[in-house]
Amino acid sequence: MNKELVELIDKCKRECLEDVNQPKEVMLQLMSIDPFSEEAQYARDAACEATHTIRKDRGNISFSVGIDYTRCTMGCKFCTFGNGTAVIPEGEEIVIPDDRIVEKVRQRLQQGCSSTVLRTTESFPHDHLVALTRRIRTEIPGKYGIVINTGELDAQMCEDLYEAGATSACHFLRLREGIDTNFDPETRLATMRAIAESKLEFITGIDPVGPEHTNEEIADLLVLTQSFKPSSICIQARCNVEGTPFENAGLISEERQMLLVAVARLTTGCHINSIGCHPHYAGTLYSGGGGYNIEWGAVPRDAEFSEDDWEGFTYEIAKKSLEDAGFWVQHATLY
């Protein structure tokens, strides 16, 4: 193996545990490693060890509810909902009733998930989301996370959601924002700042990674996400949905995604407690990842509404995978 790379990886691991972020130049060095090489395996092993140390072997499984399977006006080229009737035919839109959401969340928390994610399209009514959050928190008393993944938020909207019982919110500046999406990047950044400055924990990440995205682009975005001091960073590979402009585009390999997860872990300080990954690859649990997300309902990476757990990835499968990788699974505490 390359001695200089091994020494750099060891240094990054040591400084990660000392809560030190690495500069962009180091990120680029690590991202440039051949993902199929011995050096990449060494980086993944180092990131895995760092994650187990930081998280004390704790793994998490969250449950995401895609509330509205509807066409979105923002036209993100990679998203199911942003591509009109090309993906969601007229008259086939679905909004899951609140009663059904509450019952499904209850079932998943009782099963062992430690949090639920309420995910909506850009135009979902804020007041409805606040009311649903409050209802879940009231009707399912206990200690668990409610994560909000919705449209743009300002300071008052963050406060509304926090007071209703939300614990965190997720928002991304996507790769090539304003090119592959109709968003002004400054609008996305304003929401990220609002969440980061609120009482909600902030979750963000690198999304949606395709083979066309350069190491330079990814490193720039990783540096930016670090600056918001989030509690978690997620590396999300693009899934090419039929009916979208990317339906015939390439995909990154599992090895490339595992390397990016490892780089994210090794180059961010331990105040960023968790490095997530989506879609779910077992290999990421050996590369610095520490959890899984199971999904139900409207999924932006699929043209079909998921009546069952997306792609058959169930809680039982996720739990076994985490335990096989040496994690114990943190459960919600319900009263």
Side-chain angles (χ1 to χ4, degrees):
M1 286 193 293
N2 183 300
K3 183 180 177 182
E4 289 184 3
L5 273 178
V6 168
E7 290 176 352
L8 177 62
I9 291 165
D10 289 342
K11 175 178 179 290
C12 288
K13 177 188 169 186
R14 182 175 64 253
E15 293 186 351
C16 164
L17 298 175
E18 295 169 353
D19 204 17
V20 175
N21 289 342
Q22 298 298 324
K24 177 182 172 181
E25 293 72 24
V26 172
M27 295 176 186
L28 289 172
Q29 281 182 274
L30 296 181
M31 287 180 196
S32 298
I33 296 172
D34 178 351
F36 296 91
S37 68
E38 287 184 286
E39 290 82 0
Q41 183 63 61
Y42 190 82
R44 294 197 296 269
D45 290 344
C48 181
E49 291 167 7
T51 287
H52 278 276
T53 299
I54 292 165
R55 297 178 59 80
K56 299 179 181 178
D57 299 329
R58 173 173 53 87
N60 292 94
I61 302 172
S62 62
F63 173 57
S64 286
V65 180
I67 296 173
D68 52 335
Y69 178 77
T70 58
R71 294 186 295 278
C72 176
T73 59
M74 298 313 296
C76 300
K77 295 177 182 177
F78 43 78
C79 178
T80 297
F81 315 121
N83 287 276
T85 54
V87 179
I88 304 177
E90 195 76 41
E92 294 191 14
E93 295 179 304
I94 299 169
V95 178
I96 305 174
D98 290 3
D99 287 349
R100 194 176 177 204
I101 292 171
V102 173
E103 187 53 36
K104 197 78 168 181
V105 169
R106 188 195 313 277
Q107 291 171 4
R108 287 293 184 257
L109 293 175
Q110 288 173 339
Q111 190 176 29
C113 291
S114 58
S115 63
T116 187
V117 182
L118 303 180
R119 185 177 61 218
T120 79
T121 59
E122 181 70 17
S123 58
F124 192 81
H126 175 68
D127 289 348
H128 186 170
L129 186 58
V130 170
L132 177 60
T133 301
R134 182 176 291 109
R135 182 175 170 187
I136 291 170
R137 184 60 74 189
T138 301
E139 295 188 18
I140 313 173
K143 185 178 180 181
Y144 57 89
I146 299 179
V147 184
I148 303 300
N149 186 351
T150 188
E152 305 312 313
L153 299 170
D154 58 24
Q156 183 58 58
M157 295 165 84
C158 290
E159 181 68 16
D160 294 343
L161 289 161
Y162 178 80
E163 291 298 327
T167 53
S168 53
C170 177
H171 211 70
F172 294 72
L173 180 74
R174 280 78 58 87
L175 288 159
R176 302 190 182 176
E177 193 80 75
I179 298 172
D180 291 334
T181 76
N182 289 337
F183 284 90
D184 180 346
E186 286 303 319
T187 301
R188 304 289 292 183
L189 288 168
T191 293
M192 293 168 73
R193 281 190 289 271
I195 299 170
E197 294 169 3
S198 76
K199 296 173 185 175
L200 298 166
E201 285 191 7
F202 180 43
I203 299 170
T204 188
I206 313 299
D207 175 57
V209 185
E212 74 276 15
H213 297 121
T214 66
N215 289 340
E216 189 87 13
E217 288 176 281
I218 296 168
D220 282 339
L221 192 49
L222 185 53
V223 170
L224 177 69
T225 61
Q226 286 179 345
S227 71
F228 285 93
K229 299 182 179 178
S231 62
S232 177
I233 290 177
C234 186
I235 307 298
Q236 299 192 162
R238 188 182 64 234
C239 295
N240 298 330
V241 181
E242 185 179 355
T244 71
F246 282 102
E247 67 173 303
N248 296 314
L251 298 169
I252 65 169
S253 66
E254 291 185 26
E255 289 78 11
R256 168 69 166 164
Q257 186 162 5
M258 288 189 289
L259 178 64
L260 292 176
V261 169
V263 172
R265 178 65 283 168
L266 291 170
T267 60
T268 56
C270 58
H271 66 278
I272 296 177
N273 181 264
S274 174
I275 305 297
C277 174
H278 209 66
H280 37 74
Y281 299 136
T284 61
L285 299 181
Y286 302 87
S287 307
Y292 279 131
N293 184 39
I294 57 178
E295 297 186 89
W296 169 67
V299 179
R301 294 167 293 279
D302 198 318
E304 302 294 328
F305 181 87
S306 293
E307 290 288 353
D308 298 307
D309 295 328
W310 185 58
E311 293 197 329
F313 190 69
T314 64
Y315 174 84
E316 292 83 2
I317 292 171
K319 183 174 184 288
K320 184 179 187 305
S321 183
L322 281 160
E323 290 175 342
D324 288 348
F327 292 94
W328 60 271
V329 178
Q330 183 180 30
H331 296 172
T333 301
L334 301 184
Y335 305 141

